[in-house]
Amino acid sequence: TGAQQSATVANPVSGASPDLLPHFQLEPEDVYIVKNKAVSLACRATPATQIYFKCNGEWVHQGDHVTQHSTDRSTGLPVMEVRIEVTRQQVEKIFGLEEYWCQCVAWSSSGTTKSQKAFVRIAYLRKNFEQEPTAREVSIEQGIVLPCRPPEGIPPAEVEWLRNEELVDPELDTNVYVTPEHSLVLRQARLADTANYTCVAKNIVARRRSASAAIIVYVNGGWSTWTQWSGCSTSCGRGWQKRSRTCTNPTPLNGGAFCEGQNVQKTACTTLCPVDGAWSEWSKWSVCGAECTHWRSRECSEPAPRNGGRECHGPELDTRNCTSELCSHVVPGTEDVALYVGLVAVAVCLVLLLLVGVLVYCRKKGGLDADVADSSILTAGFQPVSIKPSKADNPNLLTIQPDLSTTTMTYQGSLCPRQDGPAKLQLPNGHLLSPLGAGRHTLHHSSPAAEGADFVARLSTQSYFRSLPRGTTNMAYGTFNFLGGRLMIPNTGISLLIPPDAIPRGKIYEVYLTLHKQEEVRLPLAGCQTLLSPIVSCGPPGVLLTRPAILAMGHCVEASAENWSIRLKKQSCEGTWEDVLTLGAEPCTELYYCQLEAQACYVFTEQLGRFALVGESLSMAASKRLKLVLFAPAACPSLEYNIRVYCLNDTQDVLKEVIQLEKQLGGQLIGTPRVLHFKDSYHNLRLSIHDMPSSLWKSKLLASYQEIPFYHIWSGLQPFLHCTFTLERLSTSTCELACKIWVWQVEGDGQSFTVNFNIAKDTRFSDWLVPDSEVGAPALVGPSAFKIPFLIRQKIISSLDPPGTRGADWRMLAQKLNLDSHLSFFASKPSPTAMILNLWEARHFPNGNLSQLAAAMAEVGKQDGALFAVSEAEC
């Protein structure tokens, strides 16, 4: 039979009509053998006289076929259907060689037709997952990806996910989807997503479960906004007030981090105590008058009522009748007595005028005017350093020359600071200023060419000088008169401008300007407060100024009204720090004003003293500027090599101090300093080294990074923090190093330094930071300290101070110079134009462009001699 079948297949009936070829109504399909159960394959064709199965190229025995015959009702053609069974053993015989397949072949009188191949496979599903999901802790709103690679199987397993044994349906939850690789993705983690997740794989053979993965969605705590400051703890005198915040925005959940920082802030407050008025003693009774009455009076002044205290009760004047006979009769000789008294008074006045004239003549003869005083009167120890000689062609210059030989003069009286009110309060003892008291003090003059060391040695005996630096590196000093001048501390950005007429005419003051190190002065900070500027002293504190001096110093704040509350602090004579000005708020006194610019602040002050700029962050968006600087030794005699990374407040004075320190250590500057914006986010600063050739160098650090705590940087009281990377070269012949140093704030942006230099080459220290603007004398006196000539300055002031038509006055000049935000301060001064020019001098000396000022004057519309003089001076 097999031979006949083969012949039939090979020799179809010739000339048969194509319409009578067998047509399959049912073809065999792919099947899977589950465990040991046999599978059935079937095919049906019409018209067909014979149908046989062929499996893997071999005919199936006729006895294994089950055949059924029928007739197609629609065509009347015969229909034949054949079935066979395939067992697991049949498939396993050829396992590994090729897949097991079967195919039907149908015959008719016209020829043969073959069906499609049906593949028979053994189904299975292995037990172990190729990858299972793992437990994780994630922050809220963070994305989550749970991977799952199911076990190997035929047919391939389908995957579904269970959350706490409940089916996860992506069609019902848009926050969830399953990737083609069967991973479960949560777009944004929610608290409700905290659960046990299981990956389930299944096919027709079995169902497998992965190990459950616990997902915990945590919430880090966040601070609420600060409450309002509480009332002062005392109703009279010094006390405390506080404000608080809670870690509820949001509240930490599921092990989330608690808020870092203080939940309570305290600050000192002072409530003025009410003082009730009290009567002074009654005056003596007056002489009995012609009306037969006399009187006496008293005043409500011991003390006078203040701060809401009660007024004195009772009469101020008391009168009563006289019982003497003088009230009704005129005493003989009264006119003569009055005449004698008048003559005596005239004689006394003449004698006093004569004494005053002699005293003035003696003082002029000695070379010092009666109204001239240097700062030794104020400080009991300062000496004038230099007084510019007068020029014959300039009557405005200082014409009084002190006697350079050792002379003495006396001063009697006590020293009091300038007060706004009529009452004068004597300064108490303090480390800033020791009052002179009521005794007599001797004033000494020495040579104006005295060295700085002698100057400091003289001052070291004064009680208030104990808190000033002992060296002269960060100090400038000079002697000034009404023409004013300027003090500068080189390479620090710190200067003091004393404008013309700030010192009363006829007086000579010796003034100093000094920069403090943070370890020398204790500046208490509370809560989120941070030091933004250097601590600077100018003095002596008792100097009386008639116009504000301008103190310029750098700062490191990225200022924004909604992110910062910035205050100017001044140290009192008692040593306590007080807020004298809040930037952006309406000033409570006319003694101080501050203009904050991108890199520097300019403080207008009529009282010299010790100042600092302090900020308090109002949000985590507040940031300070840090300057990152790298230093390394110029030579490497040993195998070890150190790279020092400094994190500095971005002010020139701190950089100058680090440069001086590294010069002593023999270090060299690597690359250009970078600026990093350090945010008030309570996150630390991390530093790490990368891309170092491991075949030449190795790091001796045990950890992968170094870290500087947040509060060490944020307070600003530690001006330059640094980390050291200790490296070791593997051979003494290695002379070059190439690497990268990363500096970043945790959960924030950072900076990278590419380090590439030759350590065998002796490189001198770079002097790149010395700006041209600060090369010169630390003290400039008179016209040399200003860009605008004195007479031209006076013409501009007289031209712009009076109100002009169409606003062509000092207001328009302020607008042209981008100073219109300070109009209220300028308007509060007797000469607003002088304030504008003083600020222009402070900002632009010595590189100011007078032609730009002339252009601004031209835009104001003042085409007068002053404008011409400014342009001529620029040429």
Side-chain angles (χ1 to χ4, degrees):
T1 305
Q4 293 176 355
Q5 292 172 351
S6 298
T8 305
V9 173
N11 300 300
V13 179
S14 60
S17 173
D19 294 338
L20 298 179
L21 287 174
H23 171 69
F24 283 98
Q25 295 179 341
L26 175 66
E27 296 185 77
E29 295 181 351
D30 297 345
V31 289
Y32 295 94
I33 297 177
V34 178
K35 298 182 180 179
N36 294 321
K37 296 180 180 180
V39 295
S40 177
L41 297 177
C43 63
R44 184 173 60 246
T46 182
T49 57
Q50 292 182 22
I51 298 178
Y52 290 98
F53 272 94
K54 195 178 201 179
C55 294
N56 281 70
E58 296 182 1
W59 294 102
V60 178
H61 193 274
Q62 184 178 5
D64 295 333
H65 290 73
V66 178
T67 304
Q68 291 182 356
H69 296 274
S70 61
T71 302
D72 190 342
R73 294 181 181 180
S74 60
T75 61
L77 295 175
V79 176
M80 179 179 289
E81 182 175 345
V82 178
R83 292 180 179 272
I84 64 170
E85 285 190 351
V86 180
T87 63
R88 185 185 184 99
Q89 290 77 10
Q90 291 176 276
V91 176
E92 287 179 344
K93 283 182 181 181
I94 63 167
F95 182 77
L97 299 178
E98 56 180 313
E99 289 189 302
Y100 191 92
W101 57 269
C102 293
Q103 184 181 36
C104 281
V105 181
W107 281 267
S108 72
S109 59
S110 299
T112 61
T113 304
K114 295 180 181 180
S115 70
Q116 66 180 7
K117 289 182 178 181
F119 291 90
V120 181
R121 301 179 178 93
I122 299 175
Y124 67 92
L125 183 62
R126 303 198 185 280
K127 293 183 178 181
N128 296 327
F129 280 74
E130 295 185 7
Q131 184 179 9
E132 294 185 291
T134 56
R136 293 183 58 188
E137 293 184 1
V138 297
S139 175
I140 193 168
E141 295 185 354
Q142 181 180 343
I144 305 175
V145 178
L146 292 176
C148 177
R149 293 173 60 189
E152 179 186 352
I154 294 178
E158 298 178 355
V159 172
E160 62 184 17
W161 285 88
L162 301 180
R163 178 196 288 132
N164 288 342
E165 302 303 323
E166 293 184 2
L167 182 64
V168 177
D169 189 353
E171 294 184 358
L172 299 179
D173 189 350
T174 57
N175 192 47
V176 177
Y177 70 93
V178 179
T179 67
E181 294 80 19
H182 309 299
S183 298
L184 179 66
V185 178
L186 303 179
R187 291 183 173 88
Q188 288 185 327
R190 304 160 298 189
L191 290 177
D193 293 325
T194 299
N196 292 324
Y197 289 82
T198 308
C199 179
V200 178
K202 61 182 180 178
N203 65 4
I204 61 175
V205 178
R207 174 187 172 102
R208 311 291 188 201
R209 291 168 55 95
S210 70
S212 295
I215 299 299
I216 298 177
V217 181
Y218 63 85
V219 179
N220 289 328
W223 288 116
S224 64
T225 57
W226 288 102
T227 62
Q228 297 294 326
W229 286 104
S230 65
C232 201
S233 60
T234 59
S235 58
C236 174
R238 189 174 181 83
W240 294 92
Q241 58 183 162
K242 66 179 182 179
R243 63 178 183 175
S244 61
R245 57 182 178 177
T246 57
C247 190
T248 55
N249 187 29
T251 303
L253 294 174
N254 296 336
F258 195 78
C259 303
E260 296 183 17
Q262 299 176 338
N263 63 338
V264 176
Q265 284 184 351
K266 287 186 177 181
T267 185
C269 59
T270 302
T271 305
L272 297 177
C273 300
V275 178
D276 296 336
W279 292 113
S280 63
E281 296 291 333
W282 286 102
S283 65
K284 293 183 179 180
W285 288 101
S286 66
V287 178
C288 190
E291 294 83 5
C292 294
T293 59
H294 60 172
W295 54 270
R296 62 178 181 175
S297 64
R298 59 181 179 176
E299 295 180 352
C300 188
S301 59
E302 292 188 2
R306 61 180 181 271
N307 304 330
R310 293 190 297 270
E311 295 283 345
C312 301
H313 294 285
E316 292 182 304
L317 191 66
D318 183 20
T319 61
R320 68 181 182 183
N321 294 330
C322 304
T323 56
S324 172
E325 295 180 356
L326 296 178
C327 66
S328 57
H329 302 282
V330 178
V331 179
T334 302
E335 295 83 355
D336 296 338
V337 173
L339 177 63
Y340 296 149
V341 171
L343 291 175
V344 171
V346 171
V348 171
C349 291
L350 290 175
V351 171
L352 290 176
L353 289 174
L354 180 62
L355 290 176
V356 171
V358 172
L359 183 59
V360 170
Y361 173 77
C362 293
R363 290 190 178 183
K364 287 186 176 181
K365 186 176 181 181
L368 188 64
D369 188 74
D371 195 28
V372 176
D374 68 7
S375 62
S376 299
I377 294 176
L378 300 173
T379 64
F382 274 85
Q383 297 180 3
V385 176
S386 62
I387 302 178
K388 294 180 67 67
S390 61
K391 297 181 181 179
D393 57 347
N394 192 346
N396 294 316
L397 293 180
L398 179 64
T399 58
I400 302 173
Q401 288 286 341
D403 187 1
L404 300 184
S405 61
T406 303
T407 60
T408 62
M409 61 180 295
T410 59
Y411 168 78
Q412 185 171 358
S414 59
L415 178 65
C416 296
R418 179 178 178 182
Q419 301 291 333
D420 291 334
K424 292 188 176 181
L425 176 65
Q426 184 172 348
L427 286 176
N429 290 330
H431 70 284
L432 282 181
L433 178 65
S434 295
L436 299 177
R440 299 174 65 85
H441 301 271
T442 303
L443 196 83
H444 296 275
H445 293 282
S446 65
S447 172
E451 296 293 334
D454 298 334
F455 177 80
V456 174
R458 286 191 290 111
L459 296 181
S460 61
T461 60
Q462 306 304 315
S463 60
Y464 71 88
F465 188 75
R466 293 170 187 167
S467 62
L468 296 181
R470 291 295 180 264
T472 58
T473 304
N474 292 326
M475 175 179 285
Y477 49 91
T479 305
F480 302 92
N481 65 347
F482 74 96
L483 292 177
R486 183 188 306 265
L487 292 175
M488 295 178 293
I489 303 177
N491 302 328
T492 63
I494 298 172
S495 64
L496 179 67
L497 177 74
I498 304 174
D501 293 327
I503 297 176
R505 291 178 179 259
K507 292 189 178 296
I508 301 174
Y509 290 153
E510 190 173 61
V511 181
Y512 65 83
L513 175 68
T514 184
L515 167 66
H516 295 273
K517 296 181 179 179
Q518 274 80 355
E519 60 268 20
E520 296 173 346
V521 179
R522 184 178 181 273
L523 175 62
L525 299 176
C528 300
Q529 289 183 343
T530 174
L531 181 62
L532 301 174
S533 73
I535 301 176
V536 180
S537 288
C538 54
V543 166
L544 177 65
L545 299 177
T546 58
R547 293 186 179 181
I550 302 179
L551 175 65
M553 54 186 178
H555 66 80
C556 61
V557 62
E558 289 296 315
S560 179
E562 64 272 11
N563 296 334
W564 284 98
S565 172
I566 301 176
R567 296 181 177 90
L568 178 67
K569 286 185 175 287
K570 183 174 183 290
Q571 193 173 28
S572 66
C573 294
E574 293 84 358
T576 58
W577 287 89
E578 300 173 347
D579 295 339
V580 296
L581 182 66
T582 299
L583 274 64
E586 204 60 38
C588 57
T589 175
E590 295 182 357
L591 296 179
Y592 308 100
Y593 191 77
C594 182
Q595 178 185 349
L596 189 70
E597 297 188 352
Q599 301 288 335
C601 64
Y602 299 90
V603 179
F604 293 77
T605 175
E606 297 183 21
Q607 292 184 353
L608 303 184
R610 185 167 298 163
F611 297 92
L613 203 64
V614 172
E616 181 175 3
S617 62
L618 303 179
S619 71
M620 289 190 178
S623 65
K624 294 175 56 175
R625 293 191 314 274
L626 298 184
K627 183 153 286 185
L628 306 175
V629 191
L630 270 65
F631 288 93
C636 181
S638 64
L639 293 178
E640 283 193 358
Y641 196 69
N642 294 327
I643 299 178
R644 294 180 288 276
V645 184
Y646 289 85
C647 302
L648 320 174
N649 288 340
D650 187 15
T651 55
Q652 292 187 35
D653 59 291
V654 181
L655 185 59
K656 173 187 176 182
E657 191 170 351
V658 173
I659 294 289
Q660 293 172 344
L661 174 64
E662 282 293 332
K663 282 185 177 180
Q664 299 173 2
L665 297 177
Q668 65 174 339
L669 182 67
I670 304 174
T672 303
R674 310 287 180 87
V675 174
L676 174 68
H677 296 280
F678 190 75
K679 293 185 177 181
D680 181 18
S681 60
Y682 303 106
H683 293 300
N684 300 336
L685 192 70
R686 287 183 180 176
L687 303 93
S688 60
I689 189 167
H690 304 274
D691 299 345
M692 184 173 55
S694 58
S695 59
L696 301 176
W697 294 87
K698 70 175 182 179
S699 174
K700 300 189 70 174
L701 297 178
L702 299 179
S704 59
Y705 61 84
Q706 300 186 65
E707 198 166 67
I708 302 177
F710 168 81
Y711 288 102
H712 290 184
I713 299 176
W714 188 256
S715 67
L717 297 178
Q718 302 183 46
F720 48 93
L721 300 162
H722 79 278
C723 288
T724 300
F725 290 95
T726 302
L727 310 179
E728 183 178 2
R729 50 181 176 170
L730 303 181
S731 171
T732 55
S733 61
T734 301
C735 297
E736 293 185 354
L737 171 62
C739 61
K740 286 185 179 180
I741 293 180
W742 281 89
V743 184
W744 76 100
Q745 191 174 8
V746 181
E747 295 190 9
D749 297 330
Q751 296 281 341
S752 66
F753 291 81
T754 300
V755 180
N756 191 351
F757 58 98
N758 190 332
I759 64 175
K761 183 179 179 181
D762 184 11
T763 304
R764 292 189 177 182
F765 201 89
S766 174
D767 295 327
W768 63 270
L769 85 149
V770 181
D772 296 337
S773 61
E774 297 196 3
V775 176
L780 297 173
V781 179
S784 62
F786 304 96
K787 288 287 292 183
I788 308 173
F790 183 80
L791 296 179
I792 295 177
R793 169 191 170 91
Q794 295 303 108
K795 290 181 180 180
I796 296 176
I797 292 174
S798 61
S799 174
L800 296 184
D801 269 352
T805 58
R806 300 181 180 178
D809 54 17
W810 63 269
R811 294 174 178 82
M812 187 175 293
L813 178 62
Q815 181 181 2
K816 299 302 180 183
L817 298 178
N818 297 322
L819 299 175
D820 46 341
S821 60
H822 311 287
L823 294 181
S824 59
F825 169 70
F826 297 146
S828 66
K829 299 302 178 183
S831 174
T833 309
M835 294 296 101
I836 296 174
L837 297 182
N838 294 343
L839 181 56
W840 187 90
E841 291 278 9
R843 296 169 66 191
H844 296 90
F845 186 87
N847 297 324
N849 191 341
L850 282 179
S851 61
Q852 294 180 354
L853 182 61
M857 289 285 296
E859 293 181 10
V860 172
K862 293 294 182 180
Q863 303 288 347
D864 54 12
L867 175 61
F868 174 77
V870 171
S871 302
E872 184 180 16
E874 178 66 19
C875 297

Short mmCIF file of all heavy atoms in Angstrom, two decimals, residues 328-358:
data_model
loop_
_atom_site.label_atom_id
_atom_site.label_comp_id
_atom_site.label_asym_id
_atom_site.label_seq_id
_atom_site.Cartn_x
_atom_site.Cartn_y
_atom_site.Cartn_z
N SER A 328 4.39 147.97 99.14
CA SER A 328 3.57 149.17 98.99
C SER A 328 4.39 150.45 98.95
O SER A 328 3.85 151.51 98.70
CB SER A 328 2.56 149.27 100.15
OG SER A 328 3.25 149.25 101.39
N HIS A 329 5.73 150.38 99.20
CA HIS A 329 6.57 151.57 99.18
C HIS A 329 7.80 151.31 98.34
O HIS A 329 8.33 150.20 98.34
CB HIS A 329 7.00 151.96 100.61
CG HIS A 329 5.83 152.21 101.52
ND1 HIS A 329 5.09 153.40 101.50
CD2 HIS A 329 5.26 151.42 102.47
CE1 HIS A 329 4.13 153.32 102.42
NE2 HIS A 329 4.20 152.12 103.01
N VAL A 330 8.27 152.33 97.66
CA VAL A 330 9.49 152.24 96.86
C VAL A 330 10.67 152.52 97.75
O VAL A 330 10.69 153.54 98.45
CB VAL A 330 9.47 153.23 95.70
CG1 VAL A 330 10.77 153.15 94.91
CG2 VAL A 330 8.27 152.94 94.82
N VAL A 331 11.66 151.62 97.76
CA VAL A 331 12.83 151.76 98.64
C VAL A 331 13.77 152.79 98.04
O VAL A 331 14.09 152.73 96.85
CB VAL A 331 13.55 150.42 98.81
CG1 VAL A 331 14.77 150.57 99.69
CG2 VAL A 331 12.58 149.40 99.39
N PRO A 332 14.20 153.76 98.84
CA PRO A 332 15.13 154.77 98.30
C PRO A 332 16.42 154.11 97.88
O PRO A 332 16.91 153.16 98.48
CB PRO A 332 15.34 155.73 99.49
CG PRO A 332 14.19 155.46 100.43
CD PRO A 332 13.81 154.06 100.24
N GLY A 333 16.99 154.62 96.82
CA GLY A 333 18.30 154.14 96.36
C GLY A 333 18.23 152.94 95.46
O GLY A 333 19.26 152.39 95.10
N THR A 334 17.00 152.50 95.10
CA THR A 334 16.88 151.31 94.24
C THR A 334 17.52 151.56 92.88
O THR A 334 18.18 150.69 92.31
CB THR A 334 15.41 150.93 94.09
OG1 THR A 334 14.86 150.70 95.37
CG2 THR A 334 15.26 149.67 93.23
N GLU A 335 17.33 152.74 92.30
CA GLU A 335 17.92 153.04 91.00
C GLU A 335 19.43 152.99 91.05
O GLU A 335 20.09 152.53 90.11
CB GLU A 335 17.45 154.42 90.51
CG GLU A 335 15.94 154.48 90.24
CD GLU A 335 15.13 154.74 91.52
OE1 GLU A 335 15.78 154.76 92.59
OE2 GLU A 335 13.91 154.90 91.42
N ASP A 336 20.02 153.46 92.17
CA ASP A 336 21.48 153.45 92.28
C ASP A 336 22.00 152.01 92.32
O ASP A 336 23.03 151.72 91.72
CB ASP A 336 21.91 154.20 93.55
CG ASP A 336 21.53 155.68 93.46
OD1 ASP A 336 21.35 156.17 92.31
OD2 ASP A 336 21.42 156.31 94.52
N VAL A 337 21.31 151.13 93.05
CA VAL A 337 21.76 149.74 93.12
C VAL A 337 21.75 149.10 91.74
O VAL A 337 22.69 148.40 91.34
CB VAL A 337 20.86 148.95 94.09
CG1 VAL A 337 21.21 147.46 94.03
CG2 VAL A 337 21.02 149.47 95.50
N ALA A 338 20.71 149.31 90.95
CA ALA A 338 20.63 148.75 89.59
C ALA A 338 21.76 149.28 88.72
O ALA A 338 22.34 148.55 87.91
CB ALA A 338 19.27 149.09 88.97
N LEU A 339 22.10 150.58 88.88
CA LEU A 339 23.18 151.14 88.07
C LEU A 339 24.50 150.48 88.41
O LEU A 339 25.29 150.14 87.51
CB LEU A 339 23.24 152.66 88.31
CG LEU A 339 24.38 153.39 87.59
CD1 LEU A 339 24.20 153.28 86.08
CD2 LEU A 339 24.39 154.88 88.01
N TYR A 340 24.75 150.28 89.71
CA TYR A 340 26.01 149.66 90.12
C TYR A 340 26.11 148.22 89.59
O TYR A 340 27.16 147.78 89.13
CB TYR A 340 26.14 149.67 91.65
CG TYR A 340 26.23 151.08 92.22
CD1 TYR A 340 25.72 151.36 93.50
CD2 TYR A 340 26.80 152.14 91.48
CE1 TYR A 340 25.79 152.64 94.04
CE2 TYR A 340 26.85 153.42 92.01
CZ TYR A 340 26.35 153.67 93.28
OH TYR A 340 26.41 154.91 93.79
N VAL A 341 25.03 147.52 89.70
CA VAL A 341 25.04 146.13 89.19
C VAL A 341 25.33 146.09 87.69
O VAL A 341 26.09 145.25 87.19
CB VAL A 341 23.70 145.45 89.50
CG1 VAL A 341 23.61 144.09 88.79
CG2 VAL A 341 23.53 145.24 91.00
N GLY A 342 24.76 146.99 86.91
CA GLY A 342 25.00 147.03 85.45
C GLY A 342 26.45 147.32 85.14
O GLY A 342 27.04 146.72 84.23
N LEU A 343 27.06 148.29 85.89
CA LEU A 343 28.45 148.61 85.63
C LEU A 343 29.36 147.42 85.91
O LEU A 343 30.30 147.13 85.16
CB LEU A 343 28.87 149.82 86.49
CG LEU A 343 28.23 151.17 86.10
CD1 LEU A 343 28.62 152.27 87.09
CD2 LEU A 343 28.64 151.58 84.69
N VAL A 344 29.08 146.70 86.98
CA VAL A 344 29.89 145.51 87.32
C VAL A 344 29.76 144.45 86.22
O VAL A 344 30.75 143.82 85.82
CB VAL A 344 29.47 144.95 88.68
CG1 VAL A 344 30.15 143.61 88.93
CG2 VAL A 344 29.84 145.93 89.79
N ALA A 345 28.55 144.24 85.69
CA ALA A 345 28.34 143.24 84.64
C ALA A 345 29.12 143.60 83.38
O ALA A 345 29.73 142.74 82.73
CB ALA A 345 26.85 143.12 84.32
N VAL A 346 29.13 144.87 82.99
CA VAL A 346 29.88 145.30 81.80
C VAL A 346 31.36 145.07 81.99
O VAL A 346 32.08 144.59 81.09
CB VAL A 346 29.58 146.77 81.49
CG1 VAL A 346 30.52 147.30 80.39
CG2 VAL A 346 28.14 146.95 81.05
N ALA A 347 31.85 145.34 83.19
CA ALA A 347 33.28 145.14 83.44
C ALA A 347 33.66 143.67 83.35
O ALA A 347 34.70 143.30 82.77
CB ALA A 347 33.63 145.71 84.83
N VAL A 348 32.81 142.82 83.91
CA VAL A 348 33.09 141.37 83.84
C VAL A 348 33.11 140.89 82.39
O VAL A 348 33.98 140.09 81.98
CB VAL A 348 32.05 140.60 84.66
CG1 VAL A 348 32.18 139.10 84.41
CG2 VAL A 348 32.22 140.88 86.14
N CYS A 349 32.20 141.35 81.56
CA CYS A 349 32.16 140.94 80.15
C CYS A 349 33.42 141.38 79.43
O CYS A 349 33.97 140.62 78.61
CB CYS A 349 30.93 141.54 79.46
SG CYS A 349 29.38 140.81 80.04
N LEU A 350 33.90 142.60 79.68
CA LEU A 350 35.12 143.06 79.02
C LEU A 350 36.31 142.21 79.40
O LEU A 350 37.15 141.87 78.56
CB LEU A 350 35.36 144.54 79.38
CG LEU A 350 34.37 145.55 78.78
CD1 LEU A 350 34.64 146.97 79.30
CD2 LEU A 350 34.46 145.55 77.26
N VAL A 351 36.39 141.86 80.67
CA VAL A 351 37.51 141.01 81.11
C VAL A 351 37.46 139.65 80.43
O VAL A 351 38.49 139.11 79.98
CB VAL A 351 37.48 140.86 82.65
CG1 VAL A 351 38.51 139.81 83.11
CG2 VAL A 351 37.78 142.21 83.31
N LEU A 352 36.26 139.05 80.34
CA LEU A 352 36.14 137.74 79.69
C LEU A 352 36.52 137.82 78.22
O LEU A 352 37.19 136.92 77.68
CB LEU A 352 34.71 137.23 79.83
CG LEU A 352 34.29 136.82 81.26
CD1 LEU A 352 32.82 136.42 81.28
CD2 LEU A 352 35.14 135.65 81.73
N LEU A 353 36.08 138.87 77.49
CA LEU A 353 36.44 139.01 76.08
C LEU A 353 37.94 139.14 75.90
O LEU A 353 38.54 138.59 74.98
CB LEU A 353 35.72 140.22 75.47
CG LEU A 353 34.21 140.09 75.27
CD1 LEU A 353 33.61 141.43 74.80
CD2 LEU A 353 33.94 139.02 74.22
N LEU A 354 38.58 139.89 76.83
CA LEU A 354 40.03 140.05 76.75
C LEU A 354 40.74 138.71 76.94
O LEU A 354 41.68 138.38 76.22
CB LEU A 354 40.49 141.06 77.81
CG LEU A 354 42.02 141.34 77.84
CD1 LEU A 354 42.47 141.94 76.51
CD2 LEU A 354 42.35 142.31 78.99
N LEU A 355 40.26 137.90 77.88
CA LEU A 355 40.88 136.59 78.12
C LEU A 355 40.72 135.68 76.91
O LEU A 355 41.65 134.96 76.52
CB LEU A 355 40.26 135.95 79.36
CG LEU A 355 40.61 136.61 80.70
CD1 LEU A 355 39.84 135.93 81.84
CD2 LEU A 355 42.11 136.52 80.97
N VAL A 356 39.53 135.71 76.32
CA VAL A 356 39.30 134.88 75.13
C VAL A 356 40.21 135.30 73.99
O VAL A 356 40.79 134.47 73.27
CB VAL A 356 37.82 134.96 74.70
CG1 VAL A 356 37.63 134.29 73.34
CG2 VAL A 356 36.94 134.28 75.75
N GLY A 357 40.41 136.61 73.78
CA GLY A 357 41.28 137.07 72.71
C GLY A 357 42.71 136.64 72.91
O GLY A 357 43.39 136.21 71.98
N VAL A 358 43.18 136.73 74.15
CA VAL A 358 44.56 136.31 74.44
C VAL A 358 44.73 134.82 74.19
O VAL A 358 45.73 134.37 73.61
CB VAL A 358 44.92 136.68 75.91
CG1 VAL A 358 46.27 136.05 76.29
CG2 VAL A 358 44.97 138.20 76.07
#
